[in-house]
Amino acid sequence: MRIVDVPPGAADRLASRLPYRAFGPFLLASGVIAAAYGTSFVLPEYVETLGMERDVAGSMISSGMVATIVCCCLAGRLAQRIGIMQTMAAATVVMALAMAAFAAAVFDTRIAYLGGMLVGVGWSVLFILSPLQIIRHLRPTARIQHLTILSGAQMAGLGLAAPLGHFLADYTGSMAIMYALFAMACAVAAICIGVARNAMLSIPSVPMPHIEITLTTTLALLRHATAAPILMIAVAACIFSGLSTYQSAYAASRDLNPDLFFLVFTITSVALRFSVAHTLDRVPVHRLALTLFIATGASLALFIVNEGDDLLYILAAAIFATGYGLSYSTLNGMAVNLAGERGLSAPVTSQIFTLAYFLGLFGFPFLGGQLIREFGPDAMLLTLLGATAFNGVLATALRPKATIGSL
C-alpha cells in the first residue's frame, strides 16, 4: 500500500534500511506508547478498587472518542507545520499526562475521564504518524519489512501491557503507582523520539504528503464500495476493544487468569505478523477477509462455551489473535485498492479508514460496559459474535467486486 508517493528519481536516494541508532529508539518509543494505551485493558479493575463499578471504565475510555476524531483529522496538518517527529513527541507527552491522570484518580475519580480523553488524543496521533515517518525515509521495496517490525513492536507493547500492569500493581501494592510508572515510561519514550529524530536528520527523505479530509472526499468514499471495508474495520475495532477492555470481567466469571489471554494473543499476533504477513497478497482479499472473520467468530464461540478450561481459553485467544491480528492490514488494503480502482485518493482513504478504526476502538467500551452491567459478559460476547457475522456478510457481498491486491 502506498501512503507516501515518491517523486520521480527520489527513490534512488532513499535508504534501503534505517540505521539502528534511529530505528531502535523509534521502536522502543512505539512499544512503550502502545503499552500505555494497553493499560486501558486493566482500567476496569482499577476503577473497581476506587469503589466504582467496572463498566464505568467504558465511559472513561469512550470519553476520548471526540478528541480522537478531531486529532485524526488534524494530525497530518499539524505534522506538516511543525514536523512529524515533533508532533509525535508532543503526542507522547500527552500519553504521559493521560497515565498521570489515571494515577491521580485516587484523589478524584473525575480526573480519570480526562485521562481517557488524553489517551484518545495521544494514541490516535502516534498511530497515524509513526508509519509515515518510516515510509518517507525508505525505498518502496524496504517499507514492508520496516512496517512489519513496527507493527510487531506496537502489538507486543499492546498485548503485554495488562500482564506487566498486573505485575507492577502486585509488586508496588497499588494500581495508581503502576499508572505513575507508565507515565514516567512515556516521558522516556518522548526522549527516545527526540533521539530518533536527530538520527534521522541525516537520512534522505521525501516531503510529507498533503492529506486533507473534506466532507466532499468523505462522501465520495462512502458512496462507493470503499464504504464496506471502512465499516468492517470499525466493527472489528469494536470487537477487539470489547473483548480486551472487559477481558478481566470475562475471566473473573470463569475463574480464569486474564493475563493468559493477553500473553497468548501477543505471542500469536507478533508471530503471525513476522511469519505469514508477506504471503497474504497471494490470496484474494475478499476470501482472506471472510476467513479472518470466520476465525474471529469461532474464537468468540469458544469464549462463550468455555466454562473455565485453561486449554480452551488458550485456544480461543490464539484463534482470536489469528482472526483479528491480520484483519487491519487486510481491510486497509481492500479499502485502498477499491479507492484506486475508482480514482479516489489512497492517502485520504487510508486516513478515513484509520478514523473509523478509532471510532470503534474508543466508542464501543461504553456500550460493552452497559451490556455487562445489565446482562453479564456473555451478552457482550453474543453481541460481538453478531457483529462478526455482520462483517462476514459484508465480505461475502463484496466478492464479485473484490480484486487481488497488495496488503
Side-chain angles (χ1 to χ4, degrees):
M1 181 183 65
R2 296 180 65 193
I3 300 177
V4 176
D5 293 324
V6 181
D12 294 336
R13 62 184 178 85
L14 294 178
S16 58
R17 60 179 294 273
L18 290 177
Y20 180 77
R21 70 180 187 280
F23 200 34
F26 191 88
L27 287 178
L28 179 60
S30 298
V32 169
I33 298 306
Y37 165 68
T39 61
S40 62
F41 303 151
V42 299
L43 194 58
E45 299 170 68
Y46 179 43
V47 299
E48 190 174 43
T49 66
L50 300 179
M52 297 180 287
E53 297 293 330
R54 291 192 178 204
D55 61 277
V56 175
S59 300
M60 293 175 178
I61 297 170
S62 294
S63 66
M65 187 168 63
V66 175
T68 299
I69 296 172
V70 173
C71 289
C72 281
C73 296
L74 298 181
R77 186 174 301 178
L78 179 61
Q80 286 170 347
R81 299 192 66 173
I82 69 173
I84 296 179
M85 295 293 272
Q86 292 90 328
T87 305
M88 289 180 60
T92 304
V93 173
V94 170
M95 287 295 284
L97 293 175
M99 298 297 102
F102 286 142
V106 292
F107 305 108
D108 189 337
T109 55
R110 292 173 296 182
I111 302 177
Y113 288 92
L114 174 62
M117 184 188 70
L118 293 176
V119 165
V121 173
W123 179 236
S124 61
V125 171
L126 287 156
F127 191 85
I128 288 173
L129 294 183
S130 53
L132 290 178
Q133 177 61 26
I134 290 178
I135 289 173
R136 62 195 294 264
H137 287 287
L138 293 170
R139 297 178 181 180
T141 55
R143 292 173 180 172
I144 293 179
Q145 177 184 2
H146 285 73
L147 289 177
T148 301
I149 295 173
L150 173 64
S151 66
Q154 290 176 330
M155 186 56 68
L158 192 68
L160 294 176
L164 178 59
H166 287 141
F167 170 78
L168 292 175
D170 291 341
Y171 184 78
T172 62
S174 170
M175 297 195 77
I177 294 177
M178 177 269 291
Y179 277 109
L181 291 173
F182 270 98
M184 289 186 282
C186 289
V188 173
I191 297 173
C192 289
I193 289 178
V195 172
R197 174 183 176 272
N198 291 335
M200 290 182 183
L201 289 176
S202 60
I203 305 174
S205 65
V206 295
M208 182 178 171
H210 292 281
I211 301 174
E212 183 177 357
I213 295 180
T214 65
L215 181 60
T216 302
T217 56
T218 302
L219 292 177
L221 286 171
L222 298 181
R223 281 198 299 265
H224 293 84
T226 46
I230 290 173
L231 177 58
M232 284 190 280
I233 193 58
V235 174
C238 289
I239 296 167
F240 173 69
S241 65
L243 193 61
S244 299
T245 302
Y246 297 106
Q247 188 59 220
S248 59
Y250 167 81
S253 70
R254 264 72 170 180
D255 196 26
L256 296 166
N257 183 356
D259 290 345
L260 190 60
F261 165 83
F262 289 108
L263 288 172
V264 173
F265 176 83
T266 303
I267 293 171
T268 306
S269 297
V270 173
L272 285 172
R273 294 189 183 206
F274 282 96
S275 60
V276 304
H278 65 285
T279 66
L280 297 181
D281 58 352
R282 303 174 188 174
V283 183
V285 68
H286 71 276
R287 187 179 302 168
L288 176 59
L290 182 59
T291 301
L292 295 177
F293 294 144
I294 291 174
T296 302
S299 69
L300 291 170
L302 290 177
F303 281 119
I304 293 171
V305 301
N306 187 6
E307 296 182 355
D309 186 275
D310 285 336
L311 291 178
L312 194 59
Y313 192 37
I314 292 173
L315 178 62
I319 296 176
F320 179 75
T322 303
Y324 173 80
L326 299 175
S327 62
Y328 186 93
S329 59
T330 300
L331 296 176
N332 199 0
M334 181 188 291
V336 170
N337 290 342
L338 289 171
E341 292 172 6
R342 289 155 179 79
L344 302 172
S345 169
V348 173
T349 301
S350 184
Q351 194 171 10
I352 293 177
F353 179 90
T354 303
L355 175 58
Y357 170 74
F358 281 124
L359 287 176
L361 198 68
F362 288 99
F364 184 81
F366 174 77
L367 175 60
Q370 300 305 308
L371 288 171
I372 289 177
R373 184 178 65 178
E374 297 294 334
F375 307 106
D378 283 0
M380 186 193 69
L381 290 173
L382 288 170
T383 301
L384 297 181
L385 184 59
T388 305
F390 174 74
N391 267 359
V393 171
L394 287 179
T396 302
L398 275 180
R399 182 173 183 177
K401 301 178 183 178
T403 60
I404 300 176
S406 174
L407 303 181

